[in-house]
Amino acid sequence: MQNLIKYKDLYWQLTFREINARYKQSVLGYAWAIIVPLMNLIVLSIVFSYLFRVPTGNIPYPIFLFVALVPWTFFSNSLVAATGSIMENGALITKVKLPREIIPLSAIGSKSIDLILTFLILLVLLFIYKVEFHQTFILVPFIFIFQLTFMVGVAFFLSATNVFFRDIGNVLGIFLTIWMYLTPVIYSPQMIPDNLKLLFYLNPMTSIINAYRDTILYGNLPNFAQMSYVIFISGLLLVLGYLYFKKRSKQFADVI
Amino acid sequence: MKPIIKLSRVSKKYRRGQRLLLKQAILDFFKPQREEDFWALKDVSFNVMRGEVLGIIGANGSGKSTILKLMAEVIFPTKGEVEVNGKISPLIELGAGFHPELTGRENIYLNGTILGLTTNQIDEKFDSIVKFAQLEEFIDTAVKHYSSGMYMRLGFAIAIHVDPDILLVDEILAVGDIAFQKKCLDKMKSFHEMGVTIVIISHALDLIQTFCQRVILLQNGVVVTSGSPQKVIEKYRKIMN
């Protein structure tokens, strides 16, 4: 972690390289960051507010969905980007000595642009749908930090393992889709069957998504027990993931 | 005097035919297949002293590049120890980490920070880098439009502005026109005069003979001999014939 302070400039350069290059490569540039989640929002909103009714309290379904879809899209995109990052930067890994953990971290960092843009849209939607502002909104950054901790831990495991099993990236897409359906993103946590509740709540993303909804839409404090579990698991994963990545990274240049 | 690079009993093992897919790993679980070990370096020990110019020669596959990568600390020995006591600038592959879509200017900042400079340091050196690379007119062009010579010049110009203690040089002079080759060689000479340690891998025996103070001959991952350039190159010619 000391490295991160020393290599701050490198981190920004690598992150900007990703953002900048993506922007230059396509005509619509950053617009893609908004178009994809918006299309998702529209399709899912139509399906689940007209075909299947999801009980959302007094909150309109599109806003109920988008509050969850924004952090989930960031989660999913970041993991995909981080997983492939080591292989994509093979030229660097095999030629130059640098703290290799910086590579998946900057892959995640480069997705923050998408997050910021979709978050701004979320704010606009909250305004349009006249959702009441709650003081609990100030807790959102903290929930985000827990999410980030969890993500980085998982990203360390995935990116290091992908060097040795290159088809992890292929499996990941399917895996993330299944993961989304097992997390209350498009439905509400009340719809989880009682006998499966424990199983669903083992997944930290369940509690994280609930916490965003509670604080932004309903003005409730996040469930204390659920949050304690999330903090514990995320912290543990971050530490273990980092150690695993460090150990594996010594062999990266041998097999790339 | 303490050596600036110290290799003690270094061996490096690679695996031949290592399986890199999950699918294969699962199949292997049911029907294990043998992986073959391959020793790229066997029990290699030598020191490089501060300010020395060391050449490493040997046939293809003798382990030269493996040694350079170990010195650059991008790979790590299977056995033994590599100790490096200084800031390295690898001229191993110029422009590693260049992004084709970004301009020369953007790539200078990117590559400079990759080689360990801070943004402020690059600000100071920027003009000098561009001047050395002779790319004043093209600095705001995406490097994907550069010729391979321009690409390499920019890479070289950045690498020598890192103020290294050690330069690792791998056959870079093989590319680029004669004028630029001479410029690179002059720059390396002036580095040598400033006391920078230089390790060169090359098949250009003339260069090794005139430039190096000491040469190591490798064969199949083992040090065959080391000493004055003339003596070692003679021995190498004998082996090759």
Side-chain angles (χ1 to χ4, degrees), chain B residues 5 7 46-49 51-57 67-68 71 167-169 192 196-202 208 211-217 225-227 229:
Chain B
I5 304 175
L7 274 74
F46 64 86
N47 292 340
V48 185
M49 304 310 285
E52 191 178 16
V53 182
L54 175 76
I56 302 177
I57 57 173
I67 287 190
L68 227 52
M71 287 177 173
L167 267 183
L168 301 180
V169 185
H192 173 53
V196 174
T197 310
I198 304 178
V199 180
I200 305 178
I201 286 184
S202 185
I208 297 276
F211 198 47
C212 297
Q213 295 161 324
R214 188 160 66 101
V215 177
I216 288 178
L217 173 59
T225 181
S226 76

Side-chain angles (χ1 to χ4, degrees), chain B residues 5-18:
Chain B
I5 304 175
K6 187 175 179 179
L7 274 74
S8 344
R9 313 209 58 179
V10 170
S11 297
K12 180 67 187 174
K13 182 176 77 175
Y14 284 105
R15 284 209 187 112
R16 264 192 197 137
Q18 189 172 6

Side-chain angles (χ1 to χ4, degrees), chain A residues 9 20 24 100 166-167 254, chain B residues 12 20 22 74 106 119:
Chain A
D9 286 0
N20 215 342
K24 286 185 180 178
R100 282 140 179 195
R166 310 254 162 105
D167 41 2
D254 291 349
Chain B
K12 180 67 187 174
L20 293 169
L22 203 57
V74 293
E106 288 162 332
T119 311

Side-chain angles (χ1 to χ4, degrees), chain B residues 17-32:
Chain B
Q18 189 172 6
R19 282 163 288 284
L20 293 169
L21 291 173
L22 203 57
K23 187 186 81 184
Q24 288 165 336
I26 294 165
L27 289 177
D28 273 10
F29 181 77
F30 296 106
K31 195 180 159 198

